[in-house]
């Protein structure tokens, strides 16, 4: 081995060690978050650790997060064709049931992309959007079929 | 990504899940580890510098001959015609029309992948080249002599026309066609008209400088697909199919003026596409509101396009700054080159990175849209109910690849691109720098440059981008 390679190898060793340490640390953090957000058969609205990107224009705030230790059905309120508090962010484990309770002040039709679910919603009652088995992974948009507004962003994550 | 309202299937049916942070960390770590291993076991004499093309024996004449070339050209012209026809006379629903998927997925993403493996197949399929050659041939038949000699192509013009064409294409895809529900801006008709305009301009270029010369330097898609094909072990010379070592065709690609800008723009385009949905999403909204006068109106298409254009330009500047910063760091001492020459000399190393970026971002789009391409888009290109091949009722199966598989492909392609780039860069440094010490020094800068691009690529796909 030539002399010039020794510094490179030392650097390699140093970086490898640093990286392995980093991975252990990162792994622990993420493992914790995963147990927090995973619930057996129900879904819940979760707060992603980083600030989520907004789609569409104008000011949009994040939906107020549900308490993570209380599994509850995510609630979407639509007023004047727009989601109150910004688009709802929902995360569900692949294979589980997706359920969102929707209230609206005017009749509308909801459309969930890719799962191709259409739901007529009426004011004055709790409309239930249900997908019995969310078996396609990815990030999907729930939109108002009449206005095209983004109502919710649903992440189906591997279990 | 191009977003469209759902019709029959969808053009961008769902977004990929962002790569989880652990995967991102692993990916970056593997990149670093492989890089240093690579540096320490690296070879000491350049291996890619010689030209080692040799004829492919056996039935190569069956694959490459005037008949197959003519058929390929005819196929290319036919598909060009379908793109224009379906845009002008077919449905305005982008997801149901043949041309949007064909141009932005099958053509733009898949041809580079095929080119990297099998060589410059597009040269035979290139409709503009085929028409140009046909016209030249007909002229010869009719006039009894060959067409008048074209103008000499100025060396300094290089690949700049192709750069301009790429800029226009990316602008059309990412700024003009900025996602904006419910208004769909990149519609089939626009694609058809843009294609016609591009065709006309290409004819002018070919008329001025000659078909082959224009297609080598000025015709955007021929130039880009040829660039990718430099990686492949197959190349046709003077009508004969031959073999060469992997990557060897790429050496020196960047020396032609305009090439560095071209490859940086290619990478920047994919970078912008990814970032616009992630870290740049809020700044884009902010600038949009600023331009819009804060009226909050959602329908201001012009403001959206201007905003997108500004950020595209900024992303190009950002990518260029990283590149030239790295080249400057490598330094010209110990070589006989200027900084600019150095930048051009090493540009070819980024061809694998450009492909890795594209593959990582568009893999799932390809998996889904190619299903559409060969089912309902093939049998019903106009989207009005025909069924030429009996596959019009086919649908896109979104379950065919899992999110995790997509993550594997994304991370693996970026790592592979990085390793390839590093190897190519190392080989070139040995040839450029007069002594081993300087070559080694330059390697660390090269490594930093490539790690930057690769980690940027990973970051764009990961939760870090959200």
């Amino acid at each position: 081995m030539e002399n010039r390679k020794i510094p490179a190898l030392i650097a390699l060793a140093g970086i490898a060690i640093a990286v392995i340490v980093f991975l252990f640390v990162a792994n622990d953090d993420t493992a914790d978050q995963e147990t927090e957000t995973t619930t057996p058969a129900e879904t819940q609205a979760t707060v992603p650790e980083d600030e989520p990107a907004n789609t569409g224009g104008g000011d949009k705030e994040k939906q107020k997060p549900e308490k993570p230790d209380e599994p509850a059905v995510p609630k979407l309120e639509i007023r004047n064709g727009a989601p109150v508090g910004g688009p709802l962010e929902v995360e569900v484990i692949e294979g589980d049931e997706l359920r969102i309770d929707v209230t609206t002040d005017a009749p509308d039709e909801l459309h969930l992309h890719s799962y191709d679910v259409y739901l007529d919603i009426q004011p004055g009652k709790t409309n239930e959007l249900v997908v019995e088995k969310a078996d396609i992974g990815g990030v999907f948009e729930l939109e108002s079929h009449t206005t095209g507004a983004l109502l919710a962003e649903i992440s189906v994550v591997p279990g | 990504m191009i977003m469209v309202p759902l019709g029959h299937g969808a053009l961008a049916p769902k977004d990929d899940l962002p790569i989880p942070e652990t995967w991102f960390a692993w990916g970056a770590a593997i990149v670093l580890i492989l890089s240093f291993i690579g540096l320490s076991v690296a070879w000491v004499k350049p291996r890619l510098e010689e030209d080692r093309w040799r004829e492919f024996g056996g039935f190569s004449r069956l694959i490459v001959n005037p008949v197959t070339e003519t058929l390929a050209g005819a196929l290319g012209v036919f598909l060009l015609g379908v793109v224009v026809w379906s845009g002008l006379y077919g449905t305005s629903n982008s997801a149901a029309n043949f041309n949007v998927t064909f141009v932005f997925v099958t053509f733009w993403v898949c041809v580079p992948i095929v080119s990297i493996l099998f060589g410059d197949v597009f040269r035979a399929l290139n409709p503009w080249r085929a028409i140009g050659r046909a016209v030249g041939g007909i002229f010869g038949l009719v006039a009894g002599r060959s067409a008048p000699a074209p103008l000499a192509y100025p060396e300094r013009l290089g690949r700049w026309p192709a750069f301009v064409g790429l800029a226009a294409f990316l602008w059309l895809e990412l700024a003009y066609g900025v996602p904006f529900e419910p208004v769909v801006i990149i519609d089939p008709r626009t694609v058809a008209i843009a294609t016609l305009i591009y065709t006309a301009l290409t004819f002018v270029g070919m008329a001025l400088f000659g078909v082959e010369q224009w297609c080598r330097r000025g015709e955007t898609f021929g130039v880009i697909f040829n660039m990718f094909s430099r990686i492949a072990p197959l190349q046709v010379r003077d009508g004969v199919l031959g073999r060469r070592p992997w990557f060897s065709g790429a050496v020196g690609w960047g020396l032609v003026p305009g090439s560095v800008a071209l490859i940086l723009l290619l990478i920047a385009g994919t970078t912008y596409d990814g970032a616009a949905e992630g870290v740049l999403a809020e700044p884009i909204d902010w600038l949009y509101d600023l331009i819009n006068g804060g009226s909050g109106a959602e329908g201001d298409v012009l403001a959206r396009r201007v905003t997108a254009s500004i950020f595209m330009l900024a992303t190009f500047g950002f990518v260029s700054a990283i590149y030239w910063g790295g080249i400057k760091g490598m330094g010209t001492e110990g070589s006989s080159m200027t900084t600019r020459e150095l930048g051009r000399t090493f540009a070819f190393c980024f061809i694998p990175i450009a492909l890795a970026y594209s593959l990582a971002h568009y893999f799932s789009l390809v998996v889904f849209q190619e299903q559409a391409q060969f089912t309902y888009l093939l049998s019903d290109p106009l989207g009005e109910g025909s069924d030429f091949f009996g596959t019009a009722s086919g649908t896109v199966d979104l379950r065919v690849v899992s999110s995790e598989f997509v993550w594997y492909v994304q991370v693996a392609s970026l790592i592979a691109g990085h390793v390839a780039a590093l190897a190519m860069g190392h080989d070139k440094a040995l040839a450029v720098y007069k002594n081993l010490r300087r070559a080694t020094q330059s390697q660390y800068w090269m490594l930093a440059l490539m790690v930057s691009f690769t980690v940027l690529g990973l970051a764009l796909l990961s939760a870090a981008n959200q």
Side-chain angles (χ1 to χ4, degrees):
Chain A
M1 203 192 310
E2 292 164 53
N3 281 340
R4 72 175 176 96
K5 293 184 177 172
I6 293 175
L9 281 178
I10 293 173
L12 158 66
I15 287 177
I17 292 169
V19 156
I20 289 168
V21 169
F22 162 66
L23 282 180
F24 272 114
V25 172
N27 227 338
D28 282 349
D29 286 349
T30 322
D32 286 344
Q33 267 128 29
E34 273 174 23
T35 20
E36 265 190 279
T37 59
T38 301
T39 36
E42 294 178 59
T43 65
Q44 60 184 102
T46 59
V47 183
E49 350 169 3
D50 302 314
E51 195 72 20
N54 285 328
T55 52
D59 298 54
K60 292 216 167 82
E61 306 143 327
K62 258 188 344 187
Q63 185 81 3
K64 271 206 251 332
E66 310 259 80
K67 294 205 193 70
D69 49 300
E70 231 177 46
V73 177
K75 294 180 179 8
L76 171 66
E77 189 188 335
I78 304 172
R79 216 182 290 153
N80 290 327
V84 172
L88 180 64
E89 307 218 344
V90 177
E91 190 176 289
V92 63
I93 305 291
E94 203 170 322
D96 284 356
E97 179 193 73
L98 165 69
R99 182 182 285 269
I100 303 177
D101 286 342
V102 185
T103 50
T104 175
D105 60 348
D108 199 342
E109 191 187 354
L110 300 185
H111 181 205
L112 179 61
H113 281 215
S114 301
Y115 283 94
D116 245 7
V117 172
Y118 293 85
L119 181 72
D120 284 313
I121 55 173
Q122 303 294 334
K125 66 175 201 142
T126 302
N127 305 272
E128 290 178 338
L129 176 76
V130 178
V131 174
E132 272 167 21
K133 194 164 177 236
D135 59 350
I136 314 175
V139 182
F140 307 90
E141 301 195 333
L142 179 72
E143 61 168 23
S144 156
H145 205 62
T146 48
T147 70
L150 176 70
L151 299 171
E153 217 170 60
I154 295 139
S155 298
V156 179
V157 300
Chain B
M1 270 288 196
I2 312 165
M3 305 279 215
V4 294
L6 265 193
H8 182 154
L11 190 51
K14 63 186 181 91
D15 283 339
D16 293 330
L17 284 169
I19 295 179
E21 279 164 0
T22 39
W23 285 65
F24 172 54
W26 271 110
I30 291 173
V31 162
L32 282 172
I33 292 171
L34 286 180
S35 304
F36 276 93
I37 290 176
L39 274 187
S40 50
V41 304
W43 52 97
V44 291
K45 272 190 139 69
R47 283 185 186 167
L48 296 175
E49 293 291 303
E50 295 162 32
D51 181 15
R52 304 219 304 259
W53 181 95
R54 60 182 197 284
E55 194 179 322
F56 208 115
F59 49 86
S60 67
R61 301 268 167 183
L62 231 76
I63 303 170
V64 175
N65 57 62
V67 174
T68 50
E69 204 181 356
T70 311
L71 287 175
L75 177 63
V77 174
F78 175 69
L79 289 171
L80 181 73
V82 175
V83 165
V84 173
W85 185 265
S86 44
L88 296 177
Y89 298 104
T91 173
S92 57
N93 179 346
S94 307
N97 193 304
F98 177 87
N99 75 2
V100 179
T101 295
F102 182 77
V103 169
F104 292 103
V105 186
T106 309
F107 179 70
W108 184 241
V109 183
C110 294
V111 175
I113 298 171
V114 172
S115 304
I116 277 222
L117 297 173
F118 299 107
D120 199 358
V121 293
F122 185 69
R123 192 154 173 273
L125 291 163
N126 189 332
W128 302 288
R129 178 171 173 265
I131 293 174
R133 281 158 58 98
V135 167
I138 290 171
F139 184 99
L141 279 175
V142 168
R145 59 177 176 90
S146 43
L151 296 174
Y153 193 87
E155 271 303 304
R156 294 187 51 188
L157 192 56
R159 296 191 170 105
W160 286 108
F163 171 82
V164 173
L166 176 62
F169 179 82
L170 289 174
W171 185 84
L172 187 75
E173 183 189 19
L174 299 170
Y176 186 85
V178 62
F180 192 86
E181 296 172 354
V183 179
V184 175
I185 300 173
I186 190 95
D187 59 309
R189 218 181 111 83
T190 305
V191 173
I193 293 173
T195 306
L196 286 171
I197 294 174
Y198 182 74
T199 302
L201 290 171
T202 304
F203 286 159
V204 171
M206 292 196 299
L208 284 176
F209 298 108
V211 174
E212 292 303 330
Q213 192 56 311
W214 183 254
C215 287
R216 272 179 68 224
R217 292 280 185 260
E219 196 280 290
T220 302
F221 302 104
V223 166
I224 291 174
F225 299 146
N226 171 272
M227 176 191 82
F228 284 118
S229 78
R230 302 299 188 98
I231 306 283
L234 297 171
Q235 186 195 17
V236 173
R237 286 192 190 180
D238 298 320
V240 177
L241 181 64
R243 296 181 50 173
R244 64 184 175 197
W246 284 90
F247 303 107
S248 61
V251 176
W253 174 85
L255 296 173
V256 175
S259 305
V260 179
L262 185 71
I263 190 158
L264 292 179
L265 181 60
L266 205 56
I267 294 175
T270 316
T271 303
Y272 170 77
D273 199 5
E277 292 163 11
V279 288
L280 288 183
E282 279 185 26
I284 287 174
D285 280 340
W286 171 84
L287 184 63
Y288 168 76
D289 285 336
L290 200 68
I291 295 176
N292 209 3
S295 66
E298 295 232 2
D300 195 344
V301 165
L302 178 65
R304 290 221 154 259
R305 286 177 179 159
V306 168
T307 308
S309 307
I310 291 172
F311 274 96
M312 278 182 73
L313 201 59
T315 306
F316 178 58
F318 174 69
V319 168
S320 301
I322 298 176
Y323 182 76
W324 286 107
I327 296 290
K328 201 93 181 95
M330 277 170 63
T332 55
E333 183 211 314
S335 75
S336 52
M337 298 189 180
T338 62
T339 301
R340 188 209 260 176
E341 284 167 341
L342 207 65
R344 286 180 178 174
T345 304
F346 283 96
F348 77 99
C349 306
F350 289 81
I351 299 175
I353 291 186
L355 184 80
Y357 264 58
S358 184
L359 193 59
H361 273 95
Y362 301 123
F363 172 68
S364 58
L365 182 69
V366 167
V367 168
F368 301 136
Q369 281 314 118
E370 289 312 305
Q371 293 181 56
Q373 180 75 83
F374 287 100
T375 56
Y376 55 88
L377 291 178
L378 193 66
S379 289
D380 186 13
L382 299 180
E384 27 88 279
S386 36
D387 196 355
F388 299 122
F389 298 97
T391 58
S393 55
T395 50
V396 173
D397 182 2
L398 296 172
R399 296 166 181 81
V400 76
V401 286
S402 69
S403 300
E404 281 149 321
F405 186 78
V406 173
W407 292 337
Y408 275 122
V409 170
Q410 292 176 325
V411 176
S413 60
L414 283 166
I415 291 176
H418 176 85
V419 171
L422 205 60
M424 289 154 88
H426 171 75
D427 200 85
K428 193 38 125 172
L430 291 172
V432 164
Y433 291 97
K434 297 311 160 212
N435 62 66
L436 212 48
R437 182 187 64 84
R438 274 295 293 142
T440 309
Q441 270 179 353
S442 75
Q443 292 300 283
Y444 295 116
W445 276 99
M446 168 85 49
L447 175 63
L449 185 57
M450 289 175 178
V451 167
S452 308
F453 272 109
T454 305
V455 170
L456 173 66
L458 284 170
L460 287 169
L461 297 164
S462 78
N465 190 29
Q466 302 306 312

